[in-house]
Amino acid sequence: MRKKSYRLDEKGLDALIAHLREQGYQVYGPKVEDAALHWRPITGCADLPRGWTQELAPGRARLEPDNSAALFHHWTCAEGLKAVLHLPLVRIMAARRDNGWFRILDNPPPAARCAFVGVRPCDLAALAVLDRVLLGDRYADDIYRARRQGAFLIAIHCQRSAPTCFCASMGSGPRARSGFDIALSEFAEGDAPEYFAEAGSPAGMDLLEACGAAPAPPDWSRAVEEGCARAAAAQTRRLDAHAAPQLIDALFDSPHWDHVAKRCLACGNCTSVCPTCFCVNYEDRTSIDGREAERWRLWDSCFTQSFTYIHGGSVRSSVKARYRHWLSHKLGRWQAQFGTPGCTGCGRCIVWCPVGIDITEEFRQLQLSAAAAASFATKD
Amino acid sequence: MSSNGTRPRIAVFKFASCDGCQLSLLDAEDELLAVAEAVEIAYFPEASRRMAKGPYDIALVEGSITTHHDAEAIQRIRRQAKTLVTIGACATAGGIQALRNWHDTAEWVRLVYAKPDFISTLKTSTPIAEHVPVDLELRGCPINKHQLIELISATLAGRKPNIPTYSLCLECKRRGNTCIMVAGGVPCLGPATQAGCGAICPSMNRGCYGCFGPMENSNAHSLASQFRVLGCARDEVERAFRSYNGWAWPFRRVFEEVPRS
Ligand code: SF4
Ligand code: SF4
Ligand code: SF4
Ligand code: SF4
């Protein structure tokens, strides 16, 4: 595909959203609700968080007023796109018994196609991870596929990073390279923001053309590259995922796991907010008269006791074993299993952990303890 | 229908409690008729004058043990019940009345009652499980009626009831709530508390009060430290953990230096 870029103002962005809605999409965007940003249905730019930015730190998230006309002076929504595409709670089957007959009831009709405005590069990367996990093998997840396949993605490159972001070291941001239909960059120096819009798919280009978007000025592309490079350079957190698989196996018995387990609540907030954690559990429900039965699927977490319950008890009965499993899988074993780490560097697990446990810091400590063990061994 | 084709016999017993939990059954208006058809309510003084003798398939036990009489009665109930299910914070943890366990009960009796001589009570309020083996706990102050209905329908269908023992946070996040602890600095007991209520309080922008009691592997100590980081005074933290489920060991141990023998 020919690379084409366009210039949009806010009206133009509104037109994109309106077009998508006319085509039958349910359009989602970051919206302020209950003192945080969430993926919610939007009808236009007016629903986007103008005038707000975020203060993000371990165990702490605040919306802060921002003296700017920008619509995207924030980073991540509290949840990943999985909240819309890999639903937290979904009925997968219902049946009824009538006069000796057993009847499978229809599931609700599939939801409208989804479009997302303002998808961060880390969240695009998370979709690629989820696609690999849920669709990349012989047994694909039909519920995810139905929602994911028709999804239209309007990304936003990050020209600033939050203190909890570490996408640069994970190779997933702050500039999106693929996986979008349109990628925007925001220029909001004046009172009216303007957007550099790159088409990433034929559908994205059609939409931009249909909205009559003008070609972008020639120097904008470089300005975006520079902005994203500055955002990358400003990141203070980093994680060396290449080192993870080897390190994780060597550190199964590290005392550091006990140290984390003292603080970890096994609450599962990290897995709930992580855009790539995909685990689910199934629940059967029956009516009292025994005529109706339903099977539901709900988000699960490797931090629960029941997650590894087999005959006789839980395999990972301690909090230590669960945190170790989570980090080891996310950073290490995921690579052997699916070819990439399960972490994109979005920083959500750091922010939304009630006690602010920081995956980059825990990993760094593990690396230090490995280095210490190695130097001890050579002295022997 | 139980395996031999008869309706399971259910009995409801009460000890020291406010009756709120057994009322949850009467409160289940939509399901009540179906329940009455599917099970035999053999003993439920709050709802019916019929008081049929045991044995019972399920004994629902509300309330904590606070008198000598209670302590004997629960032994008899256990002998008559195939399955004994405790319902509510009083039965599962000793309830709010267990606050007396940290104080001089005799002195309180003297302060409260005009004729203390008529009062015969134990020094402590203790959960049923400290007296007899318990098969299942329904938590909460009061319990969630959906969990009670789930217990009954699961029993009838011969399947395991869906009563999670993990943290409230998982339920809260599945609802799509903003975490008020992280986004608002509000102390919330959710990360140490068992799910099952539907995350009612955080959904109304209130911190969880912990009325479902400690979750599995509850790390109340770490959460208590975080409350201090959020600016709570030590006594505020103590009050937060020492309420409906204060006597439950995972909450209690946070403030007790000497470990239980
Ligand atoms: S592990 Fe943490 S930083 Fe990595 S993708 Fe998940 S939530 Fe984001
Ligand atoms: S992690 Fe990177 S891509 Fe994600 S919000 Fe932060 S800067 Fe943007
Ligand atoms: S790391 Fe944090 S969010 Fe994850 S289970 Fe532990 S305390 Fe909860
Ligand atoms: S509001 Fe409370 S229950 Fe909900 S996620 Fe936060 S800490 Fe957990």
Side-chain angles (χ1 to χ4, degrees), chain B residues 16-98:
Chain B
S17 59
C18 76
D19 291 26
C21 289
Q22 28 176 330
L23 284 177
S24 307
L25 187 55
L26 299 178
D27 191 28
E29 287 149 2
D30 299 338
E31 297 89 353
L32 198 55
L33 282 178
V35 171
E37 262 176 41
V39 304
E40 181 195 339
I41 309 254
Y43 183 93
F44 190 3
E46 184 103 355
S48 152
R49 267 175 306 176
R50 182 165 172 251
M51 298 201 189
K53 288 219 168 79
Y56 311 106
D57 292 300
I58 301 178
L60 300 173
V61 179
E62 177 194 274
S64 67
I65 302 298
T66 57
T67 66
H68 296 288
H69 173 263
D70 291 349
E72 283 160 26
I74 190 62
Q75 300 296 337
R76 283 198 300 277
I77 291 168
R78 177 69 266 194
R79 282 198 293 275
Q80 294 180 38
K82 258 194 229 165
T83 304
L84 190 153
V85 180
T86 47
I87 59 171
C90 302
T92 58
I96 196 73
Q97 60 273 29

Side-chain angles (χ1 to χ4, degrees), chain A residues 38 62 263-264 267 299 305, chain B residues 167 174 178 182 216 219 222:
Chain A
H38 294 280
R62 295 288 185 277
R263 296 168 61 215
C264 177
C267 63
W299 283 356
Q305 189 81 254
Chain B
S167 82
R174 284 199 293 257
T178 295
V182 168
E216 61 191 27
N219 189 350
S222 171

Side-chain angles (χ1 to χ4, degrees), chain B residues 2-247:
Chain B
S2 70
S3 48
N4 60 6
T6 55
R7 295 184 301 161
R9 306 185 82 218
I10 294 192
V12 184
F13 297 96
K14 170 191 155 63
F15 292 98
S17 59
C18 76
D19 291 26
C21 289
Q22 28 176 330
L23 284 177
S24 307
L25 187 55
L26 299 178
D27 191 28
E29 287 149 2
D30 299 338
E31 297 89 353
L32 198 55
L33 282 178
V35 171
E37 262 176 41
V39 304
E40 181 195 339
I41 309 254
Y43 183 93
F44 190 3
E46 184 103 355
S48 152
R49 267 175 306 176
R50 182 165 172 251
M51 298 201 189
K53 288 219 168 79
Y56 311 106
D57 292 300
I58 301 178
L60 300 173
V61 179
E62 177 194 274
S64 67
I65 302 298
T66 57
T67 66
H68 296 288
H69 173 263
D70 291 349
E72 283 160 26
I74 190 62
Q75 300 296 337
R76 283 198 300 277
I77 291 168
R78 177 69 266 194
R79 282 198 293 275
Q80 294 180 38
K82 258 194 229 165
T83 304
L84 190 153
V85 180
T86 47
I87 59 171
C90 302
T92 58
I96 196 73
Q97 60 273 29
L99 284 179
R100 75 181 190 197
N101 299 1
W102 285 279
H103 299 274
D104 180 352
T105 306
E107 194 197 327
W108 280 16
V109 168
R110 275 196 301 281
L111 287 173
V112 173
Y113 294 98
K115 293 209 167 33
D117 309 350
F118 290 127
I119 305 295
S120 156
T121 183
L122 295 170
K123 280 193 184 127
T124 52
S125 164
T126 45
I128 302 298
E130 284 194 23
H131 301 266
V132 295
V134 167
D135 299 300
L136 184 78
E137 293 181 341
L138 294 187
R139 302 284 195 79
C141 185
I143 55 167
N144 176 340
K145 69 176 181 190
H146 301 294
Q147 285 205 331
L148 185 57
I149 298 298
E150 166 63 8
L151 166 73
I152 295 171
S153 12
T155 307
L156 290 165
R159 62 177 172 84
K160 191 167 152 261
N162 300 308
I163 308 289
T165 55
Y166 50 63
S167 82
L168 180 64
C169 298
L170 287 179
E171 221 172 19
C172 190
K173 281 286 195 284
R174 284 199 293 257
R175 277 189 74 152
N177 287 344
T178 295
C179 174
I180 48 168
M181 179 134 148
V182 168
V186 176
C188 176
L189 281 172
T193 298
Q194 181 167 306
C197 67
I200 317 176
C201 296
S203 304
M204 304 304 285
N205 284 315
R206 302 290 303 260
C208 162
Y209 295 97
C211 83
F212 267 59
M215 63 188 265
E216 61 191 27
N217 300 82
S218 187
N219 189 350
H221 201 277
S222 171
L223 187 61
S225 312
Q226 185 65 16
F227 282 8
R228 298 283 278 138
V229 171
L230 293 178
C232 297
R234 195 187 184 284
D235 60 325
E236 284 175 308
V237 180
E238 191 169 313
R239 274 201 299 278
F241 282 92
R242 211 169 261 185
S243 67
Y244 319 98
N245 289 282
W247 192 246

Side-chain angles (χ1 to χ4, degrees), chain A residues 264-270 303 323 353-355 357:
Chain A
C264 177
L265 307 161
C267 63
N269 272 303
C270 46
F303 280 92
Y323 187 87
C353 170
V355 292
I357 292 175

Side-chain angles (χ1 to χ4, degrees), chain A residues 46-276:
Chain A
D47 290 327
L48 295 171
R50 187 199 312 278
W52 293 105
T53 187
Q54 289 169 301
E55 184 210 321
L56 300 173
R60 185 183 160 89
R62 295 288 185 277
L63 282 177
E64 295 288 343
D66 170 62
N67 250 338
S68 129
L71 297 172
F72 297 100
H73 264 187
H74 58 269
W75 294 281
T76 51
C77 287
E79 60 281 312
L81 294 181
K82 75 174 185 186
V84 183
L85 298 176
H86 182 51
L87 299 174
L89 194 63
V90 59
R91 193 185 85 180
I92 58 173
M93 188 260 202
R96 191 203 303 275
R97 191 163 54 184
D98 266 329
N99 302 322
W101 286 89
F102 176 78
R103 209 150 53 85
I104 305 285
L105 304 181
D106 289 339
N107 271 330
R113 288 183 300 171
C114 314
F116 297 92
V117 178
V119 182
R120 299 286 159 178
C122 53
D123 278 348
L124 280 181
L127 277 190
V129 173
L130 277 188
D131 289 351
R132 169 65 191 87
V133 173
L134 298 176
L135 305 175
D137 281 316
R138 187 161 154 211
Y139 301 104
D141 181 336
D142 289 335
I143 304 173
Y144 176 75
R145 196 206 319 267
R147 302 180 78 87
R148 170 72 177 99
Q149 250 174 5
F152 192 94
L153 298 165
I154 302 185
I156 177 103
H157 299 309
C158 293
Q159 302 190 64
R160 315 182 313 153
S161 295
T164 44
C165 296
F166 57 102
C167 60
S169 63
M170 301 304 290
S172 61
R175 193 194 193 293
R177 301 282 165 195
S178 62
F180 52 81
D181 294 294
I182 295 174
L184 304 173
S185 310
E186 186 174 52
F187 296 103
E189 279 75 35
D191 0 308
E194 285 203 283
Y195 299 91
F196 174 66
E198 295 155 72
S201 72
M205 188 150 86
D206 288 350
L207 181 63
L208 285 161
E209 298 277 350
C211 295
D219 53 335
W220 276 24
S221 168
R222 213 185 52 213
V224 170
E225 289 293 338
E226 283 169 7
C228 293
R230 273 196 304 275
Q235 292 185 5
T236 51
R237 284 184 165 77
R238 52 174 290 103
L239 204 150
D240 179 9
H242 292 293
Q246 250 198 328
L247 189 79
I248 295 295
D249 284 339
L251 284 179
F252 189 81
D253 290 322
S254 166
H256 188 69
W257 302 117
D258 293 300
H259 186 77
V260 194
K262 282 213 177 79
R263 296 168 61 215
C264 177
L265 307 161
C267 63
N269 272 303
C270 46
T271 60
S272 297
V273 298
C274 177
T276 69

